[in-house]
Amino acid sequence: MTDSRSLLPSRPASRRLVSSALAALAALATGVLLAGCTSAVGEQSATSGSGSQGPVEGGTLRVAATTDHVPASVFGQSSDVGNTLIGLVYDSLVEYPQDSLDAQPSLATSWEVAEDGRSITLQLRNDVTFHDGRPFTSEDVRFSIETFADPAWAVQVQRTAAAVIGFDTSDPHAITLEFAHPLSNILDLLDIVPIVDSESFPGLKEASTYNGTGPFRFTGWRPGTGMTFERNEDYWKGAPDLEAVDVSVVPDAQAQVAGLRSGQYDLALGVTPRDVETLAQDPKFDVHDFEGATQQQYLGFQLKNRDLQEVRLRQAIAYAVDRERIVEELYRGSAVASGLPWSPSSPAYDEEKGQTYARDVAKAQQLVAELGDVPTLPLQFAAGQPAGETIAQIVQANLEEIGLEVELKPTEFAQMYKQLVGAQFEGLWIFGHTYAQYTPATLTVSAFPFNAAHNASNFVDEQYRADSDASWKVADPASAEAEELFDRVNDHIVDNVWLTDLVTSHPRVVTTSAVHGIDYSKRTELLLDEAWKDQ
């Protein structure tokens, strides 16, 4: 199997000039439409704003985020602020579009996978520097992948990074990676891993320095309050238009909405779907949908809990949950209900099997009756998170209907993440996961809820691990062999139900109509290198 991509040589032209020219041409035709803006009113306002006809340089973008940075899990997609940090400060070797697995060049200009699938050779850009001015080289690629392979960082792609066992860095602008076995998800890894600087790494560990090659420089973190960034004037794609980004931690969704309305914030990451509907009707705001960067909410079962070791109880709970109610009440119809984890675009997506545990109260009650008395089950969820709180209340009501008592246990987000990594939940829990939009093997060998080697439920099954690992080692994830293995993995999830997925949604971000050009990575990170703001 081979795969090769290439970039045009030399430094790209300034995006500011290109964007201005394109904007002028578009204005002569039908007007400029903001990409990703789903509100009809918002689309109109995107061209009106302050009468702007194209990108404007300068200004600070003020962002309201729901969860604060967790330094110990900086690479773990563990918080809104942390994800924003990665998206602004760092680049990866390749970039996936939101809607496909067709990797595009980034810090790597081209690559080729060996015929036996046991190595990949990448050509690297020679015009990139870190924020401190040091040139980017192949040694930085080696260091970054080795960092992700270190279990101390608790990253969800640790097993894939650890399967890279050899590095040829003899050429500073090229690198060959050797694998322990063929890796169907090697490009996933190269998209997910941010390129970090080894020389300033101690500062990263202390959350005092984040030195990347990305469009914005880290300038400070105020724990519990927020994080600040300034533009990288030497960014290899051209300096961003925004002068700075100020991210504030605002856990309360209503406070985010109030801040948008009062002009305190320009962009809010945690607006509830109900408020999104309302704001979409107001010409002062725009709603941006990023459908390829999917996110899932799931209900987990701790198998160290003696009662939950009984698969019939887990099945009863899975049958009882009203996923469609969650879709309608919480997501206002902008989500997909399924008991399997995959995004609809995934090669492993199976609509029929995903409905195996479609709501069936009678069947759930029958299973509970077979079990007899079941003690009260603890149900943890992230405190202050509207999605977790709403889903927890719906699940509690659903389980009461089938004769199960649930004790709701709101838990601080950082503690939830710690329990996820350490597989330390007490009984039931509600949390989100991602990676379902990548090559399927990335989920089953990497994501904490599904990792066949060690997962948050403490579920152990040798056949599940064998099938997951086999799909990981099939070089072509689109092959018939891989498809058969994905089908078997789905059977394991359905039959053993150590967790049950609830809904798949995508980020919906609200901005004022003065904000343009924002984007989201497939990794669910906010991207602002092409963003600008009416002045």
Side-chain angles (χ1 to χ4, degrees):
M1 174 185 174
T2 60
D3 192 353
S4 179
R5 302 287 186 271
S6 62
L7 276 176
L8 293 175
S10 77
R11 183 182 181 90
S14 167
R15 288 192 319 284
R16 190 173 302 122
L17 295 176
V18 174
S19 298
S20 296
L22 292 175
L25 290 173
L28 291 174
T30 58
V32 182
L33 295 179
L34 180 61
C37 179
T38 57
S39 162
V41 175
E43 287 178 351
Q44 182 179 5
S45 68
T47 63
S48 55
S50 302
S52 174
Q53 294 298 313
V56 176
E57 184 178 356
T60 297
L61 188 74
R62 299 160 301 168
V63 179
T66 303
T67 52
D68 194 17
H69 182 43
V70 183
S73 55
V74 60
F75 302 128
Q77 295 185 308
S78 58
S79 72
D80 286 349
V81 174
N83 287 357
T84 301
L85 164 71
I86 297 295
L88 299 190
V89 170
Y90 296 98
D91 291 310
S92 58
L93 291 166
V94 306
E95 291 283 348
Y96 279 135
Q98 285 183 29
D99 58 354
S100 79
L101 293 175
D102 182 19
Q104 301 298 307
S106 184
L107 293 181
T109 61
S110 65
W111 52 91
E112 184 173 356
V113 178
E115 291 292 341
D116 63 0
R118 299 289 292 264
S119 67
I120 186 172
T121 299
L122 303 103
Q123 304 303 314
L124 308 176
R125 295 196 66 93
N126 60 8
D127 59 350
V128 177
T129 59
F130 286 94
H131 295 158
D132 64 359
R134 187 178 69 79
F136 156 68
T137 72
S138 56
E139 279 295 327
D140 299 304
V141 176
R142 178 193 61 77
F143 179 81
S144 299
I145 293 176
E146 289 182 340
T147 296
F148 264 59
D150 183 351
W153 284 98
V155 298
Q156 301 198 59
V157 291
Q158 186 268 332
R159 286 185 68 198
T160 302
V164 180
I165 58 173
F167 302 85
D168 179 355
T169 59
S170 56
D171 183 340
H173 304 303
I175 188 169
T176 296
L177 310 177
E178 297 179 3
F179 316 143
H181 50 74
L183 293 177
S184 63
N185 65 336
I186 182 58
L187 292 177
D188 291 10
L189 181 73
L190 302 185
D191 171 85
I192 292 168
V193 172
I195 299 302
V196 299
D197 168 41
S198 60
E199 295 185 7
S200 62
F201 200 67
L204 183 148
K205 289 184 175 182
E206 298 167 359
S208 62
T209 302
Y210 295 99
N211 185 30
T213 64
F216 290 88
R217 302 171 186 267
F218 166 80
T219 54
W221 175 46
R222 308 175 305 279
T225 303
M227 192 173 281
T228 55
F229 308 86
E230 65 180 17
R231 72 178 165 208
N232 176 13
E233 298 288 354
D234 298 319
Y235 187 45
W236 58 275
K237 290 184 182 178
D241 289 302
L242 291 171
E243 183 176 349
V245 180
D246 190 334
V247 182
S248 298
V249 179
V250 187
D252 183 72
Q254 294 307 307
Q256 291 196 22
V257 173
L260 279 173
R261 291 191 180 280
S262 68
Q264 183 178 1
Y265 308 119
D266 305 301
L267 184 156
L269 297 175
V271 178
T272 67
R274 188 178 296 275
D275 285 324
V276 166
E277 283 187 336
T278 301
L279 293 169
Q281 303 307 311
D282 189 329
K284 294 192 293 294
F285 304 101
D286 291 329
V287 177
H288 310 266
D289 279 281
F290 303 106
E291 296 185 5
T294 56
Q295 303 162 319
Q296 286 74 24
Q297 294 287 332
Y298 71 97
L299 175 62
F301 305 115
Q302 175 54 268
L303 271 59
K304 284 190 174 181
N305 182 306
R306 188 170 180 177
D307 298 299
L308 291 169
Q309 291 173 3
E310 171 58 66
V311 69
R312 288 178 295 172
L313 178 57
R314 306 198 301 268
Q315 290 172 335
I317 294 171
Y319 278 123
V321 177
D322 192 344
R323 294 173 179 79
E324 295 296 341
R325 179 181 171 189
I326 295 171
V327 169
E328 294 305 318
E329 290 190 10
L330 177 60
Y331 292 95
R332 312 299 293 171
S334 62
V336 176
S338 177
L340 287 175
W342 314 109
S343 302
S345 60
S346 170
Y349 182 73
D350 188 321
E351 183 174 5
E352 182 177 354
K353 285 184 181 177
Q355 298 305 314
T356 299
Y357 292 107
R359 183 161 161 80
D360 190 329
V361 175
K363 187 173 289 188
Q365 290 173 332
Q366 177 186 344
L367 288 166
V368 171
E370 293 174 6
L371 297 171
D373 292 336
V374 177
T376 299
L377 296 169
L379 173 58
Q380 292 179 254
F381 61 92
Q385 304 258 326
E389 290 182 353
T390 301
I391 293 172
Q393 291 166 3
I394 291 174
V395 169
Q396 182 184 45
N398 293 158
L399 298 192
E400 285 179 355
E401 192 175 354
I402 65 169
L404 297 178
E405 186 175 345
V406 169
E407 178 189 2
L408 297 185
K409 302 191 73 170
T411 306
E412 289 298 320
F413 182 88
Q415 178 64 18
M416 284 282 291
Y417 191 79
K418 181 179 179 181
Q419 289 180 275
L420 176 75
V421 175
Q424 297 170 343
F425 289 110
E426 300 175 37
L428 307 176
W429 74 92
I430 291 163
F431 217 18
H433 74 78
T434 183
Y435 295 108
Q437 70 274 40
Y438 283 97
T439 303
T442 292
L443 187 83
T444 57
V445 303
S446 299
F448 292 134
F450 295 91
N451 191 331
H454 176 65
N455 52 70
S457 297
N458 289 289
F459 169 70
V460 178
D461 184 273
E462 290 306 316
Q463 193 57 54
Y464 171 60
R465 178 165 183 169
D467 290 337
S468 297
D469 285 356
S471 71
W472 185 30
K473 297 171 184 177
V474 175
D476 182 2
S479 67
E481 180 183 4
E483 183 179 353
E484 180 181 350
L485 288 165
F486 300 153
D487 192 53
R488 285 157 59 177
V489 165
N490 281 337
D491 286 339
H492 290 300
I493 297 172
V494 168
D495 294 342
N496 294 287
V497 63
W498 65 92
L499 56 72
T500 185
D501 265 74
L502 303 173
V503 295
T504 293
S505 64
H506 59 266
R508 305 192 77 195
V509 175
V510 181
T511 68
T512 67
S513 60
V515 176
H516 313 271
I518 69 169
D519 202 356
Y520 242 67
S521 73
K522 200 176 188 72
R523 302 177 297 274
T524 67
E525 297 158 357
L526 183 64
L527 303 178
L528 299 175
D529 55 309
E530 296 189 7
W532 53 281
K533 178 181 170 183
D534 291 335
Q535 301 300 306

